[in-house]
Amino acid sequence: MNETEIRAEVVAAYQELSREGMNKGASGNVSARCGDHMLITPSGIPSAQMSPDQVAKIAIDDETGAWDGPCKPSTEWRFHRGILASRQDAGAVVHTHAPFATILSVLRKPIPAIHYMMAAFGTTEIKCSGYTTFGTDDLSKMVLDAMDGSAGCLMANHGMVVTGPNMTRAMWLAGELELLASQYYHSLLLGKPHILSAADIEKTAESFSSYGPQAAEE
């Protein structure tokens, strides 16, 4: 995909999150790798009003966050850049304030292996990061720590973040994480959930490399 196509993809993903009720207004943010740069949604612009030309461009190896474009990038550019810089398998990053993921993040509850779909994240537990002010270097470090070995994490009193090799996969994982959060929340209301073993998840993971939606070009 060229830069024009990636810009359109970033905006389309952000708008889809609003339609699905995973973000409201100008909350959350989306980014995608574009060569040695990342393209990230701008700050403070609701999805319905966003256009591809407003997407900010930042060099992945630039820790200062200097950007190209008419609008400043999302305040959360630091953990987007950190994920893309530290994980060569990461092609897109999706951050949402989805309801059930956020509820669990308020409770500081990691999500255990309540369902075999946990295998899609390459781990047996979706961790919850610590809390600090949004848009800071400290938050970026906390997110990277919580995502170590995983495709996603909860962000304490904030929401969730996931990454995937492409936007198609990242958006799918965001939906799956919110579903896991909803399942865990509701199962806790009824009793004590049965947790799958690491062996159960590992066995499922063996067939997960091609499970779920793939990008069209794949």
Side-chain angles (χ1 to χ4, degrees):
M1 297 176 70
N2 60 39
E3 181 173 328
T4 298
E5 293 169 328
I6 297 173
R7 285 176 175 275
E9 182 181 57
V10 166
V11 173
Y14 189 61
Q15 292 173 336
E16 181 179 343
L17 292 172
S18 292
R19 288 194 299 271
E20 294 294 326
M22 295 177 69
N23 279 330
K24 295 290 186 181
S27 66
N29 27 76
V30 174
S31 69
R33 189 185 296 274
C34 182
D36 56 3
H37 287 72
M38 75 170 179
L39 300 174
I40 184 168
T41 48
S43 177
I45 300 178
S47 63
Q49 299 172 22
M50 191 179 295
S51 59
D53 63 293
Q54 295 170 325
V55 170
K57 185 177 184 179
I58 300 175
I60 292 175
D61 65 358
D62 185 355
E63 297 182 1
T64 71
W67 78 88
D68 291 327
C71 302
K72 65 181 181 179
S74 165
T75 55
E76 304 290 19
W77 65 265
R78 289 173 178 82
F79 70 69
H80 284 262
R81 191 204 70 82
I83 292 169
L84 293 173
S86 63
R87 301 176 65 148
Q88 293 305 307
D89 63 324
V93 179
V94 174
H95 165 50
T96 86
H97 295 180
F100 288 102
T102 302
I103 289 170
L104 294 184
S105 81
V106 170
L107 295 170
R108 311 286 177 93
K109 273 189 173 294
I111 305 174
I114 56 163
H115 193 284
Y116 70 80
M117 284 303 297
M118 181 66 70
F121 294 86
T123 185
T124 57
E125 180 184 73
I126 301 295
K127 296 178 182 178
C128 184
S129 77
Y131 177 81
T132 191
T133 307
F134 70 90
T136 60
D137 286 329
D138 285 343
L139 179 59
S140 178
K141 292 173 184 175
M142 289 177 178
V143 167
L144 290 173
D145 286 345
M147 287 186 68
D148 185 26
S150 174
C153 75
L154 301 178
M155 301 167 65
N157 299 80
H158 192 151
M160 63 134 109
V161 60
V162 300
T163 187
N166 50 61
M167 190 65 73
T168 300
R169 190 80 175 181
M171 288 290 288
W172 175 68
L173 286 171
E176 290 300 327
L177 200 160
E178 174 66 354
L179 183 57
L180 285 170
S182 174
Q183 292 164 342
Y184 187 40
Y185 170 86
H186 286 97
S187 65
L188 287 170
L189 295 180
L190 295 175
K192 184 177 181 181
H194 290 277
I195 309 302
L196 297 174
S197 69
D200 290 330
I201 297 302
E202 182 178 357
K203 186 174 182 180
T204 303
E206 293 172 2
S207 60
F208 256 49
S209 61
S210 60
Y211 186 90
Q214 308 297 319
E217 64 269 23
E218 297 181 345

